[in-house]
């Protein structure tokens, strides 16, 4: 896991070097009459898909939803997917339910795109278009470099579809390298070592990061971690936050961080142990693990890094093996 965290800058650069292939896919999609986008995924890839939902809605102005695959695979509902771009996101491309739902969507009129780390995967064979995230072989059960490469692949696709020039992403591999090298997580790990539960919070572009961070802590540390949108947290769940509950708030900067300000104020008022993950330009108050500044829509690529490192180091401090989490395997085949 440590080696693959450290490999992320090189993996991201490898994908950037192949952006011409992604532009060609975007050009093919642009020629179709796409009026709606549906994203289908599981696990970490579902968090990458949620990130893409924010991108598609804010950059492209298209309505976008997360598909309920069991509506197709279990309830056998018939739907028309005319005018829909169906984007299936999967690191392995091996999940049977994702493959079946994608096949049905294609047969029902959708333009289908698979985003995977394996062009020869069963999922890639089901779709008209395939976007290779080029992360290389990932051996750790806890996804790290495949997750960040999914994020970048989806950003490059949306950026090309919008007709932008991609210049905003130029410094991201270096920013991720600095986050890997400079993120000071030692104090957080020492404070959270004996925690039994933990809450992660985000808003807007940082909400997918909060969800992915909680997943990393659950699968590597056996920690009961719950992820919330800041808005949802204040609608009731904040009642179970107290001084014994560590809370990690992911501040994306810009509009997202402004939306999180009343959430941080409420957490501080309740005496919660709050740690912020934010850039230097973000003025959310409190103890912070600082990451390099990048444009708000690209912050998920940088801000997940300290959460990956915290999951890794916290697992080791507990005497756990983050590379072999109990009962988990690299490919989860849901039905």
């Amino acid at each position: 896991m440590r080696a693959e965290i450290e490999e992320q800058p090189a993996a991201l650069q490898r994908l950037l070097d192949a952006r011409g292939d992604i532009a060609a896919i975007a050009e093919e999609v642009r020629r179709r009459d796409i009026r709606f986008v549906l994203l289908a995924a599981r696990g970490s890839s579902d968090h990458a898909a949620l990130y893409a939902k924010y991108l598609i809605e804010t950059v492209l102005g298209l309505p976008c939803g997360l598909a309920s695959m069991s509506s197709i695979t279990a309830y056998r509902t018939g739907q028309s997917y005319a005018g829909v771009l169906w984007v299936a996101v999967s690191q392995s491309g091996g999940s049977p339910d994702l493959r079946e739902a994608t096949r049905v969507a294609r047969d029902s009129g959708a333009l289908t795109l698979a985003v995977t780390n394996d062009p020869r995967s069963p999922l890639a064979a089901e779709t008209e278009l395939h976007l290779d995230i080029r992360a290389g072989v990932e051996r750790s059960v806890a996804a790290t470099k495949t997750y960040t490469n999914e994020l970048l692949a989806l950003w490059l696709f949306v950026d090309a579809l919008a007709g932008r020039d991609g210049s905003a992403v130029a410094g991201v591999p270096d920013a991720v390298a600095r986050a890997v090298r400079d993120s000071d997580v030692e104090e957080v790990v020492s404070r959270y070592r004996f925690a039994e539960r933990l809450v992660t919070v985000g808003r807007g572009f940082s909400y997918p990061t909060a969800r992915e961070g909680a997943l990393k802590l659950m699968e590597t540390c056996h920690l009961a971690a719950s992820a919330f949108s800041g808005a949802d947290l204040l609608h009731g769940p904040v009642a179970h936050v107290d001084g014994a509950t560590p809370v990690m708030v992911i501040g994306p900067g810009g509009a997202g961080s402004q939306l999180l300000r009343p959430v941080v104020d409420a957490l501080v008022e309740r005496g919660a142990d709050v740690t912020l993950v934010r850039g230097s330009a973000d003025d959310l108050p409190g103890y912070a693990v600082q990451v390099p500044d990048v444009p708000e829509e690209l912050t998920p690529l940088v801000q997940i890094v300290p959460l990956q490192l915290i999951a890794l180091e916290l697992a080791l401090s507990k005497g756990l093996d983050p590379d072999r989490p109990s009962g988990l395997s690299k490919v989860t085949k849901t039905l």
Side-chain angles (χ1 to χ4, degrees):
M1 185 176 177
R2 186 185 304 280
E4 288 169 355
I5 290 172
E6 293 174 351
E7 192 186 337
Q8 286 176 114
L12 293 169
Q13 188 59 56
R14 190 160 57 240
L15 183 57
L16 278 178
D17 292 341
R19 70 173 69 186
D21 295 342
I22 300 175
I25 294 170
E27 181 58 33
E28 178 62 27
V29 173
R30 195 181 293 113
R31 296 194 343 234
R32 310 291 187 98
D33 181 22
I34 298 300
R35 291 167 287 165
F36 192 88
V37 181
L38 274 175
L39 297 146
R42 298 286 190 201
S44 288
S45 296
D46 192 42
H47 305 151
L50 179 59
Y51 168 64
K53 183 178 188 294
Y54 281 100
L55 283 175
I56 290 163
E57 291 173 344
T58 60
V59 176
L60 299 178
L62 281 174
C64 181
L66 300 174
S68 300
M69 285 180 282
S70 60
S71 297
I72 297 172
T73 61
Y75 295 100
R76 304 292 176 181
T77 55
Q79 302 177 43
S80 171
Y81 289 93
V84 170
L85 172 64
W86 175 281
V87 183
V89 188
S90 172
Q91 293 149 16
S92 68
S95 176
D97 68 334
L98 183 54
R99 182 183 179 188
E100 181 184 353
T102 298
R103 177 185 57 77
V104 171
R106 184 198 66 204
D107 292 345
S108 302
L111 172 61
T112 53
L113 166 65
V115 180
T116 82
N117 197 35
D118 184 359
R120 297 168 296 180
S121 65
L123 180 61
E126 291 287 358
T127 59
E128 296 171 70
L129 302 170
H130 177 260
L131 198 167
D132 184 357
I133 68 170
R134 300 174 187 269
V137 176
E138 185 173 61
R139 294 179 175 84
S140 172
V141 170
T144 54
K145 66 179 183 178
T146 50
Y147 177 70
T148 46
N149 269 46
E150 281 180 341
L151 297 180
L152 180 57
L154 290 162
W155 185 89
L156 288 169
F157 171 67
V158 171
D159 189 75
L161 203 53
R164 303 191 307 191
D165 63 6
S167 59
V169 80
V172 164
D174 179 64
V176 171
R178 284 184 282 133
V180 171
R181 183 185 67 236
D182 299 336
S183 292
D184 184 3
V185 301
E186 183 177 349
E187 180 176 338
V188 178
V189 170
S190 65
R191 282 162 51 195
Y192 294 177
R193 182 178 179 186
F194 298 106
E196 295 182 355
R197 58 191 175 114
L198 181 143
V199 172
T200 62
V201 184
R203 193 78 196 270
F205 281 106
S206 71
Y207 180 41
T209 306
R211 291 182 58 175
E212 175 65 8
L215 176 60
K216 288 289 148 300
L217 290 163
M218 285 188 281
E219 64 188 352
T220 62
C221 302
H222 303 173
L223 182 64
S226 302
F228 293 97
S229 155
D232 290 334
L233 183 72
L234 294 183
H235 275 79
V238 72
H240 88 103
V241 175
D242 54 29
T245 307
V247 182
M248 302 193 72
V249 179
I250 321 302
S257 283
Q258 293 309 307
L259 293 171
L260 281 170
R261 182 170 291 278
V263 180
V264 174
D265 291 343
L267 291 169
V268 170
E269 184 177 339
R270 297 187 69 85
D273 180 350
V274 178
T275 295
L276 300 163
V277 177
R278 59 170 172 79
S280 63
D282 196 326
D283 62 354
L284 285 175
Y287 174 78
V289 176
Q290 190 168 304
V291 295
D293 293 312
V294 295
E296 183 175 357
E297 67 183 47
L298 287 162
T299 52
L301 284 127
V302 178
Q303 292 184 327
I304 191 57
V305 172
L307 294 170
Q308 294 170 344
L309 291 168
I310 288 168
L312 169 67
E313 299 297 347
L314 190 58
L316 293 172
S317 76
K318 291 172 173 282
L320 301 172
D321 184 352
D323 290 335
R324 297 173 181 83
S326 176
L328 298 180
S329 62
K330 186 62 188 167
V331 180
T332 303
K333 296 187 176 181
T334 50
L335 299 174

